[in-house]
């Protein structure tokens, strides 16, 4: 899988018509960006992984979901990555998500709104970091960058994500971006 940047220009005064673009069934057509650098900011939508990142879906079999939580996966009709999402609500225990990855950077992509928790924890190799999926938007935003860590030493890392103790929605996994 390799990312390509394509620009079609018309250097004449004649009309140019583009009828269709074909890509293979595993390809992704992304919005055009004039910058090739990574500009994602925590709290903003990140619908596609940026250059140098690969997106891992929540259904990846290397991701382990704690069994003490009832995980919901029915998300039909919502704009989430790959049309899949794992989440639990306030009627569940806190819950956790575990996986290992090899790389030097990680991002969490989830939903965010005023009803989401603000004290989630991601533990990387035993070091805890707190992050929030709560924001001031009354509407739920999907595919939001909620955590970004880019200065890990390249190697294998153990990740444990623990749900918030507040909010209607305590813990969610839509996608994980790694290098």
């Amino acid at each position: 899988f390799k990312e390509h940047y394509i620009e079609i220009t018309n250097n004449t005064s004649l009309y140019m018509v583009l009828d269709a673009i074909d890509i293979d069934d595993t390809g992704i057509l992304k919005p055009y960006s004039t910058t090739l650098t990574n500009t994602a900011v925590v709290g903003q939508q990140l619908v596609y992984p940026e250059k140098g990142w690969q997106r891992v879906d929540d259904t990846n079999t290397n991701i382990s979901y704690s069994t003490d939580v009832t995980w919901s996966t029915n998300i039909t009709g919502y704009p989430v990555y790959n049309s899949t999402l794992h989440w639990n609500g306030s009627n569940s225990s806190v819950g956790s998500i575990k996986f290992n990855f090899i790389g030097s950077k990680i991002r969490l992509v989830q939903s965010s709104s005023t009803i989401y928790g603000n004290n989630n924890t991601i533990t990387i190799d035993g070091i805890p970091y707190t992050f929030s999926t709560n924001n001031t938007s009354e509407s739920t935003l999907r595919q939001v960058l909620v955590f970004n860590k880019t200065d890990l030493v390249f190697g294998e890392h153990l990740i444990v994500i623990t749900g918030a103790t507040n909010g209607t929605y305590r813990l969610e996994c839509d996608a994980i971006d790694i290098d």
Side-chain angles (χ1 to χ4, degrees):
F1 180 77
K2 186 175 179 186
E3 187 167 349
H4 303 278
Y5 298 91
I6 301 187
E7 183 174 348
I8 302 169
T9 58
N10 180 359
N11 294 327
T12 71
S13 61
L14 300 174
Y15 291 103
M16 181 173 82
V17 177
L18 178 64
D19 185 41
I21 297 173
D22 288 337
I23 58 175
D24 67 18
D25 60 347
T26 60
I28 300 170
L29 190 62
K30 296 169 48 173
Y32 176 75
S33 173
T34 57
T35 139
L36 300 181
T37 60
N38 293 328
T39 57
V41 175
V42 170
Q44 294 180 342
Q45 282 189 302
L46 185 60
V47 178
Y48 300 102
E50 292 184 308
K51 183 179 181 186
W53 294 85
Q54 63 177 337
R55 184 148 294 176
V56 179
D57 188 47
D58 64 290
T59 59
N60 186 294
T61 57
N62 293 311
I63 300 173
S64 172
Y65 295 92
S66 59
T67 57
D68 63 329
V69 171
T70 302
W71 293 96
S72 298
T73 55
N74 182 2
I75 197 71
T76 305
Y78 292 99
V80 295
Y81 181 71
N82 217 20
S83 299
T84 63
L85 179 73
H86 278 75
W87 60 274
N88 71 15
S90 59
N91 294 332
S92 301
S93 63
V94 174
S96 65
I97 301 167
K98 298 178 183 179
F99 59 92
N100 289 23
F101 85 97
I102 296 173
S104 63
K105 52 190 181 179
I106 184 170
R107 289 175 164 170
L108 301 180
V109 178
Q110 301 179 359
S111 302
S112 180
S113 83
T114 58
I115 60 174
Y116 282 74
N118 66 3
N119 62 349
N120 299 74
T121 302
I122 180 171
T123 303
I124 304 173
D125 302 326
I127 301 170
Y129 302 89
T130 301
F131 67 96
S132 177
T133 55
N134 187 283
N135 70 35
T136 58
S137 175
E138 300 257 340
S139 301
T140 299
L141 301 174
R142 305 290 180 184
Q143 299 186 62
V144 173
L145 176 60
V146 296
F147 179 81
N148 187 32
K149 183 78 172 153
T150 59
D151 60 354
L152 299 171
V153 174
F154 184 85
E156 184 168 354
H157 300 281
L158 170 63
I159 306 297
V160 179
I161 305 168
T162 308
T165 57
N166 59 18
T168 302
Y169 298 104
R170 304 289 177 91
L171 183 57
E172 179 179 294
C173 183
D174 186 10
I176 300 155
D177 288 356
I178 57 175
D179 60 344

